[in-house]
Short mmCIF file of all heavy atoms in Angstrom, two decimals:
data_model
loop_
_atom_site.label_atom_id
_atom_site.label_comp_id
_atom_site.label_asym_id
_atom_site.label_seq_id
_atom_site.Cartn_x
_atom_site.Cartn_y
_atom_site.Cartn_z
N ASP S 479 -8.23 4.91 6.63
CA ASP S 479 -8.47 5.29 5.22
C ASP S 479 -7.27 5.97 4.81
O ASP S 479 -6.53 6.58 5.49
CB ASP S 479 -9.61 6.31 5.23
CG ASP S 479 -11.01 5.61 5.63
OD1 ASP S 479 -11.20 4.43 5.37
OD2 ASP S 479 -11.88 6.32 6.18
N THR S 500 -10.40 11.89 7.47
CA THR S 500 -11.09 10.78 6.79
C THR S 500 -12.40 10.61 7.50
O THR S 500 -13.39 10.23 6.82
CB THR S 500 -10.26 9.42 6.73
OG1 THR S 500 -9.87 9.06 8.08
CG2 THR S 500 -8.98 9.70 5.96
N ALA S 501 -12.63 10.86 8.79
CA ALA S 501 -13.87 10.70 9.44
C ALA S 501 -14.86 11.82 8.79
O ALA S 501 -16.03 11.54 8.61
CB ALA S 501 -13.81 10.92 10.90
N ALA S 502 -14.29 12.98 8.53
CA ALA S 502 -15.13 14.05 7.92
C ALA S 502 -15.50 13.70 6.53
O ALA S 502 -16.68 14.00 6.14
CB ALA S 502 -14.25 15.39 7.97
N VAL S 503 -14.65 13.06 5.73
CA VAL S 503 -15.02 12.60 4.40
C VAL S 503 -16.11 11.57 4.55
O VAL S 503 -17.09 11.62 3.77
CB VAL S 503 -13.81 12.09 3.65
CG1 VAL S 503 -14.20 11.31 2.40
CG2 VAL S 503 -12.78 13.22 3.34
N ARG S 504 -15.99 10.60 5.43
CA ARG S 504 -16.94 9.52 5.64
C ARG S 504 -18.32 10.21 6.02
O ARG S 504 -19.43 9.84 5.49
CB ARG S 504 -16.53 8.54 6.65
CG ARG S 504 -15.62 7.58 6.08
CD ARG S 504 -15.15 6.47 7.18
NE ARG S 504 -14.34 5.44 6.59
CZ ARG S 504 -14.91 4.34 6.02
NH1 ARG S 504 -16.15 4.16 5.92
NH2 ARG S 504 -14.10 3.41 5.55
N SER S 505 -18.27 11.24 6.87
CA SER S 505 -19.46 11.77 7.41
C SER S 505 -20.16 12.59 6.26
O SER S 505 -21.44 12.48 6.11
CB SER S 505 -19.15 12.74 8.44
OG SER S 505 -20.30 13.38 8.96
N ALA S 506 -19.42 13.27 5.46
CA ALA S 506 -19.92 13.99 4.31
C ALA S 506 -20.59 13.04 3.27
O ALA S 506 -21.74 13.33 2.81
CB ALA S 506 -18.87 14.85 3.61
N ALA S 507 -19.99 11.96 3.02
CA ALA S 507 -20.58 10.94 2.14
C ALA S 507 -21.86 10.45 2.69
O ALA S 507 -22.87 10.25 2.06
CB ALA S 507 -19.55 9.73 1.89
N SER S 508 -21.83 10.08 4.03
CA SER S 508 -23.08 9.54 4.70
C SER S 508 -24.20 10.58 4.62
O SER S 508 -25.35 10.21 4.39
CB SER S 508 -22.79 9.17 6.17
OG SER S 508 -21.90 8.06 6.20
N ASP S 509 -23.84 11.90 4.86
CA ASP S 509 -24.83 12.88 4.84
C ASP S 509 -25.46 13.03 3.55
O ASP S 509 -26.64 13.55 3.39
CB ASP S 509 -24.18 14.26 5.27
CG ASP S 509 -23.85 14.39 6.68
OD1 ASP S 509 -24.28 13.43 7.55
OD2 ASP S 509 -23.12 15.27 7.13
N ALA S 510 -24.77 12.65 2.49
CA ALA S 510 -25.31 12.74 1.07
C ALA S 510 -26.00 11.44 0.71
O ALA S 510 -26.44 11.26 -0.47
CB ALA S 510 -24.08 13.03 0.11
N GLY S 511 -26.19 10.59 1.72
CA GLY S 511 -26.94 9.34 1.37
C GLY S 511 -26.16 8.24 0.83
O GLY S 511 -26.56 7.27 0.23
N PHE S 512 -24.78 8.40 0.87
CA PHE S 512 -23.81 7.43 0.31
C PHE S 512 -23.17 6.71 1.41
O PHE S 512 -22.79 7.13 2.36
CB PHE S 512 -22.73 8.25 -0.59
CG PHE S 512 -21.82 7.42 -1.38
CD1 PHE S 512 -22.25 7.02 -2.60
CD2 PHE S 512 -20.57 7.14 -0.84
CE1 PHE S 512 -21.37 6.15 -3.35
CE2 PHE S 512 -19.66 6.34 -1.55
CZ PHE S 512 -20.11 5.90 -2.85
N THR S 513 -22.96 5.33 1.09
CA THR S 513 -22.28 4.54 2.13
C THR S 513 -20.78 4.32 1.63
O THR S 513 -20.56 3.64 0.74
CB THR S 513 -23.05 3.13 2.16
OG1 THR S 513 -24.38 3.34 2.50
CG2 THR S 513 -22.31 2.26 3.25
N PRO S 514 -19.91 5.08 2.35
CA PRO S 514 -18.49 4.90 1.99
C PRO S 514 -17.99 3.55 2.37
O PRO S 514 -18.19 3.11 3.46
CB PRO S 514 -17.78 6.06 2.75
CG PRO S 514 -18.70 6.32 3.88
CD PRO S 514 -20.15 5.95 3.50
N GLU S 515 -17.22 2.87 1.52
CA GLU S 515 -16.67 1.59 1.73
C GLU S 515 -15.21 1.66 2.00
O GLU S 515 -14.57 0.97 2.81
CB GLU S 515 -17.04 0.58 0.78
CG GLU S 515 -18.53 0.53 0.50
CD GLU S 515 -19.15 -0.84 0.66
OE1 GLU S 515 -18.34 -1.77 0.64
OE2 GLU S 515 -20.33 -0.89 0.71
N ARG S 516 -14.53 2.40 1.08
CA ARG S 516 -13.03 2.41 1.12
C ARG S 516 -12.61 3.83 0.59
O ARG S 516 -12.08 3.88 -0.55
CB ARG S 516 -12.51 1.28 0.18
CG ARG S 516 -11.08 1.07 0.36
CD ARG S 516 -10.58 -0.10 -0.60
NE ARG S 516 -10.83 -0.01 -1.89
CZ ARG S 516 -10.20 0.54 -2.89
NH1 ARG S 516 -9.01 1.08 -2.62
NH2 ARG S 516 -10.62 0.57 -4.14
N PRO S 517 -12.73 4.80 1.38
CA PRO S 517 -12.27 6.15 0.93
C PRO S 517 -10.79 6.15 0.69
O PRO S 517 -9.93 5.63 1.51
CB PRO S 517 -12.61 7.01 2.06
CG PRO S 517 -13.65 6.34 2.82
CD PRO S 517 -13.39 4.89 2.66
N VAL S 518 -10.35 6.72 -0.46
CA VAL S 518 -8.92 6.88 -0.78
C VAL S 518 -8.92 8.38 -1.28
O VAL S 518 -9.51 8.74 -2.17
CB VAL S 518 -8.41 6.00 -1.88
CG1 VAL S 518 -6.99 6.36 -2.20
CG2 VAL S 518 -8.58 4.56 -1.43
N ILE S 519 -8.06 9.17 -0.59
CA ILE S 519 -7.92 10.60 -0.83
C ILE S 519 -6.51 10.74 -1.46
O ILE S 519 -5.55 10.32 -0.90
CB ILE S 519 -8.07 11.49 0.34
CG1 ILE S 519 -9.47 11.22 1.01
CG2 ILE S 519 -7.86 13.01 0.03
CD1 ILE S 519 -9.61 11.81 2.33
#
Side-chain angles (χ1 to χ4, degrees):
D479 295 325
T500 56
V503 169
R504 281 181 173 275
S505 178
S508 295
D509 290 349
F512 186 80
T513 303
E515 306 238 347
R516 190 178 54 91
V518 176
I519 302 166

